[in-house]
Amino acid sequence: MKINEQRLTFIGCESSYEDSKIAIFGAPYDGTSSFRAGSRFAPSVMRNESIGIETYSPYLDKDLADINVFDGGDLELSFGNPEKPLLQIEEYANQILDDKKIPLMIGGEHLVTLGAFKAAQNHYPDICLVHFDAHTDLREHYLGETLSHASVIKRIWNIIGDGRIFQYGIRSGEKEEFVWAKEHTRLNKFNFDTLENDLATISDRPIYLTIDLDVLDPSEMSGTGTPEAGGVRFTELIKAVSKVAKLNIVACDINELSPEYDKSGSSTALACKLLRELLLQL
Amino acid sequence: MKINEQRLTFIGCESSYEDSKIAIFGAPYDGTSSFRAGSRFAPSVMRNESIGIETYSPYLDKDLADINVFDGGDLELSFGNPEKPLLQIEEYANQILDDKKIPLMIGGEHLVTLGAFKAAQNHYPDICLVHFDAHTDLREHYLGETLSHASVIKRIWNIIGDGRIFQYGIRSGEKEEFVWAKEHTRLNKFNFDTLENDLATISDRPIYLTIDLDVLDPSEMSGTGTPEAGGVRFTELIKAVSKVAKLNIVACDINELSPEYDKSGSSTALACKLLRELLLQL
Amino acid sequence: MKINEQRLTFIGCESSYEDSKIAIFGAPYDGTSSFRAGSRFAPSVMRNESIGIETYSPYLDKDLADINVFDGGDLELSFGNPEKPLLQIEEYANQILDDKKIPLMIGGEHLVTLGAFKAAQNHYPDICLVHFDAHTDLREHYLGETLSHASVIKRIWNIIGDGRIFQYGIRSGEKEEFVWAKEHTRLNKFNFDTLENDLATISDRPIYLTIDLDVLDPSEMSGTGTPEAGGVRFTELIKAVSKVAKLNIVACDINELSPEYDKSGSSTALACKLLRELLLQL
Amino acid sequence: MKINEQRLTFIGCESSYEDSKIAIFGAPYDGTSSFRAGSRFAPSVMRNESIGIETYSPYLDKDLADINVFDGGDLELSFGNPEKPLLQIEEYANQILDDKKIPLMIGGEHLVTLGAFKAAQNHYPDICLVHFDAHTDLREHYLGETLSHASVIKRIWNIIGDGRIFQYGIRSGEKEEFVWAKEHTRLNKFNFDTLENDLATISDRPIYLTIDLDVLDPSEMSGTGTPEAGGVRFTELIKAVSKVAKLNIVACDINELSPEYDKSGSSTALACKLLRELLLQL
Amino acid sequence: MKINEQRLTFIGCESSYEDSKIAIFGAPYDGTSSFRAGSRFAPSVMRNESIGIETYSPYLDKDLADINVFDGGDLELSFGNPEKPLLQIEEYANQILDDKKIPLMIGGEHLVTLGAFKAAQNHYPDICLVHFDAHTDLREHYLGETLSHASVIKRIWNIIGDGRIFQYGIRSGEKEEFVWAKEHTRLNKFNFDTLENDLATISDRPIYLTIDLDVLDPSEMSGTGTPEAGGVRFTELIKAVSKVAKLNIVACDINELSPEYDKSGSSTALACKLLRELLLQL
Amino acid sequence: MKINEQRLTFIGCESSYEDSKIAIFGAPYDGTSSFRAGSRFAPSVMRNESIGIETYSPYLDKDLADINVFDGGDLELSFGNPEKPLLQIEEYANQILDDKKIPLMIGGEHLVTLGAFKAAQNHYPDICLVHFDAHTDLREHYLGETLSHASVIKRIWNIIGDGRIFQYGIRSGEKEEFVWAKEHTRLNKFNFDTLENDLATISDRPIYLTIDLDVLDPSEMSGTGTPEAGGVRFTELIKAVSKVAKLNIVACDINELSPEYDKSGSSTALACKLLRELLLQL
């Protein structure tokens, strides 16, 4: 009998960095969550709970065992001031992109997207953002801060400007955000109805896909900081992901799982399954 | 810097009593809950958690910031014997109605409706009741008591008689209640299918709208004392509310949220959102 | 006043064994649950919580008060090695079947089905299995063990062979299990689409119906060990049960409720209601 | 194999009523609990969880297997108005006392003591009350009601008057209650320091012992409606019980366990153990 | 009947600012909590739950009803970067001190103490800090940040230097912190043994008292982010507070209650009681 | 920036196997837990939560950073039948002992001790067992099984016989177990009173130390399957461990943490701290 060291990875993602086309990492930061925090625990809990799902997808008839994915664990991020964590995330994602791999980040709160998006935009200047969320995240500032989960898409707009942000499932925000969005982003309320047509207009562009899990109905995803009734279903979401995955996704993330708020574990299990479906299509 | 007193109100309901057309109040009584209590905490928890939702409704493109609503906090009710709490509720609602405002009560168990309904019936003798619920609430008595959450609609029938009670979403009760209802109320099982047609027959009548949140499917509203599988969806419910709101609602209530039973907080968040949608249409 | 002994039974199942056509019993074993246990508590919690539902079904317009059902309580099973508990279950079910009654077992993990199925197969050699589940349960062995919740349907296949197992709602398993199923069972992924046609082919055969509650979507049934997003709804499930109940069900079970994982109690309440609907149709 | 009916009793209390000297019953009423309810579930949960303890006491070197105790289950009490439940309790306890047995009631909130005490006082007019509690329970009325958990000892004083009530562990109440107690009861704050001496003065009197479990420190008994820091320890409590048990206890109760508030189950387990120790000394 | 606005205050603290000698305010910030957050909810939850305790202290034979305390509610603080919240806290405390009142802050994480301490030090330059905690909080920086809950006492030392910081109950920290403390603070491990003697040396100095609730044993205070076994008892803590209160406390705080981590509510109840005892002695 | 693989180990236990004198491993088996399971999650949860404690012990003035400990992660054990898991444990511990290291196993339920003890007894035939527990664990069989958490010490006695088993803190068991223990083991009820004298008699013998965490009072350790009121305190336990650690401990284990039953995490934190204290003394 041999005594070995053990790694902890998301199920089916035990490949080496060198062999992998996709590199997962966790960004356990939730420092600007104003209402209910806890998304910092998401990547770690997802790794632990992923043993409850299978590596095989009966939706896609594909298996994680047949692809190579590296899981680099969680970044060690400071709390409080978000500037340093965002830089750490950007630097880490930059390295993955330098190595011609796809970074797949697991948040943390939605602000972490800003760090990874900057890295992706460095490498793919004409990148577009596809954004699934219940919230617009378009505030200029929130409680006096410009770096906030509620402002993250506005900060990305500051970088890439009009016409390159596509938002779906949105059902919460200030009136001003919805008014502003009419001029500056493509915002589809409540569902994915226009997704397919919208994607046709950017089919040749590199895509950053960011999924705020609260786009889902709270009946299926109660483990999130700001549950918003009237959301989409898991089966709708994985269909929407499939459509985006036909394009050139160069970086992506899944964020805002707060495992503590769903003691049943079914929110975490769903997030794991969504991650599997996403990995199998990248 | 000025040190001020602070009030706690439902989000967007900070107007003065004098300026407001609608007056919210909490009726934190759950003394006859036979199975699982806890709805006494609903109005207080809703106020605290309402900061998690926005004042703007993307469904209606309206904002609580644009209307005046007063939140009077919770009545201080005794427990045990329900007679005194019901009188306190009736007296408080009477005052609001005397002042030509709409009382919007947040329960508490469903029995509290009896107090507010009496006040409304005092002011509008030809009032009709529109009742959304999983349960008939038509028992003559329950465990030997006539004043019970399970008897509240029967008690209202004792006041207004046949043909003026309209029930929707009902999917639980004793056989005798369903049989009795055929003669005395308009009861639509499981959903809102007949709502629109039914309302057409009472379009000129003052309406009391009572919403027992367990009319919703427990997947969306697990935070309630008696969850009943097979319920309606949030999006169906707000559509139904819209239909009723086109009529002349003179008083209304939302009841039977038991926040402790949904630790995720999504039931409370839904209730807050429903309250917002209701307020914006009154 | 008379001081009496009190029995604890599922609501409406207070009849004597002699008078009853159906005999309920609990099989509180979850010893091979690899991921999250707790289904051992299901039958006991269901009895306690069943007082929260009514005996009357508005779906069927029937009442448990009008039929005779015996509830024998829980078997006292050892833990660890599953061989002895499976024998105890088989022996108990055999007795019920000897007495020309229908055993209705409440698990416990899915492995308990093996014990009761053997008893049924003893009495009805040409029996077929109708299986509602999220998982195939077709592994040859699991973590080195052949007696496992993940292998229970494979073990039953070992007894009755090809063409007699019908599986619905399946959405999780190893690739090998799905491949194997194509040759040996009738497996319908995700839903009940082929159920009606399939049943037509076995309408003259005795049926064992086994319902793993995780066939339901976790939004409605989060209280289970391995929640799998993308499941069926309660209303779909009771319709499917109705179709099977038109055939000759000679034994059946409901399993894999883990009440601890749904603190709201709505999973347990749903399971109770499903049991009522099943009882009223047997 | 024989299919039998099953009773649910507290562990080791399976004797028949006729054979037993002690008769346990549950009084699941918590209708006047003003702050946090849930003690209605205590007797039922204690029966279910009692299988986790042993029938043998290493403290006393005695075993429940060697004595005869009857467990009559829970009374079916209405909610809301407390008058009827109190009468039901009194009538039930009267019957037990008529039959020359000791009633041991498991609450429920503390108000239930009033019903059982009245029965005991009917049979033993010179009875004294020994009261272990964190609270004085001496309010004249509470939120306008005279029948309240906060007034129960005052109501008993209304019956038996000065000098016959002995209170221990008290550490919460209104100033007026403590002032009043100086004239009318024997109140020992915080602990049991004077218990032994006090008991010496009533060693020839029949005793009603009522134990409000919140007398314990919340670190050991967090499952109660109004946890009060600075309480006594389990080992101190069972020693105090031993001292009282040397006198002539003719009736007793344990109340105010709210199992839902201690998800760990250790409060319930402690209550079961205390019940065992009490039974073995009666 | 008069319809009034309602305030929410800690029980017994309904006096006007002008009339009060003490001004309570909440500082709901937990942005640098690295392990488990949630202390942001403490002041709000304490206000809601304080109705469960009495205003009268049987320990002190004093009543909140007899003193004047103002409760200004919670500051509205941003999250993420702690600099702005600390300034808001400092400014608010400054105003209270300008008005010759004692600020009593309820955290939030321990870092909030820095803001209030600065205000106190502005007004009382020779101020000393008395610090009850399980942790040294003496790190130079934590995860790269100097403004952190783990560094707060070190930051205060940066302001007031050697010999003015007195630490009690400490039982966790890095080796370097304990070594450093030997030279620069008065640190008493595990308990309050040297408190009385130490206080004698600063009896003429203004005192800032900061109580990190995790100084208590987790058996009594499990609702905190970093529970450390081996702590002090509530009764020991209130005795220690009494000793400090004999000196000239000019500002104080209670922090690090994380109510979500103690679902039983007993941690919150204890914190409320401690606040009452502190208020009655100031 | 370098992208590295990450290991998950208990805090401060990152040394290689070769460099380490002590090898930790998890034995996540709880298959015979009859009442409440969940200890299977203990080693994994402890690794995740150990970041909340420090590597430095102020009790011992020692630091994990100064010693070498290897953490091999969790064994992958099957469920159900305990024979195979026990063999896996024995084989793994044998290898560690062959390599002249001390195995420190984290359970799992107490039965896992049997596997590791056998390995230790293979290497040290004159080994003695020091056993801290609330329960005797001396049943000949339990629910018909001889391999059970309730029989594990009896099974060890079957191997080493009279006079070599020393039990402390015991306060629960069947009468027969206590009677039997008088002849065959050294059993000290409730506390550690005789520990020091007893150890003096075996000071030259190799020791296996097994700590069932339920020896602690449930106020400090509610996260366990069978909480027993009246237990020892953490500070008493670490003193007792210190006494044993002065002898020649050749193997040891900590078991029966059920993290799910203490949502506050303080039980897990205590277990981590106990592990640290144990490691620093081996």
Side-chain angles (χ1 to χ4, degrees), chain B residues 29-37 40-41 76-85 142-145 147 260-261 263, chain D residues 29-37 40-41 76-85 142-145 147 260-261 263:
Chain B
Y29 178 84
D30 60 7
T32 82
S33 295
S34 48
F35 184 44
R36 307 192 311 177
R40 67 176 73 178
F41 301 114
E76 190 169 323
L77 305 174
S78 67
F79 276 83
N81 194 329
E83 290 185 17
K84 199 174 299 181
Y142 185 64
L143 294 170
E145 296 286 345
L147 289 179
E260 286 294 304
Y261 285 106
K263 299 288 188 191
Chain D
Y29 178 85
D30 59 8
T32 83
S33 295
S34 48
F35 184 44
R36 308 192 312 177
R40 68 177 73 178
F41 301 114
E76 190 169 324
L77 305 173
S78 67
F79 276 84
N81 195 326
E83 290 187 16
K84 200 174 300 181
Y142 186 63
L143 294 170
E145 297 287 346
L147 289 179
E260 287 292 305
Y261 284 106
K263 298 289 188 190

Side-chain angles (χ1 to χ4, degrees), chain E residues 170-214:
Chain E
I170 312 295
R171 57 193 183 278
S172 184
E174 294 192 315
K175 187 172 188 174
E176 290 67 26
E177 297 177 82
F178 281 93
V179 170
W180 186 91
K182 282 183 186 157
E183 303 290 317
H184 301 284
T185 77
R186 178 77 188 87
L187 187 156
N188 187 84
K189 282 198 292 193
F190 307 131
N191 51 46
F192 300 108
D193 284 357
T194 68
L195 176 66
E196 198 149 13
N197 287 342
D198 296 344
L199 291 179
T201 69
I202 53 167
S203 60
D204 57 344
R205 299 281 282 272
I207 303 290
Y208 188 110
L209 172 64
T210 181
I211 303 174
D212 185 324
L213 287 164
D214 65 22

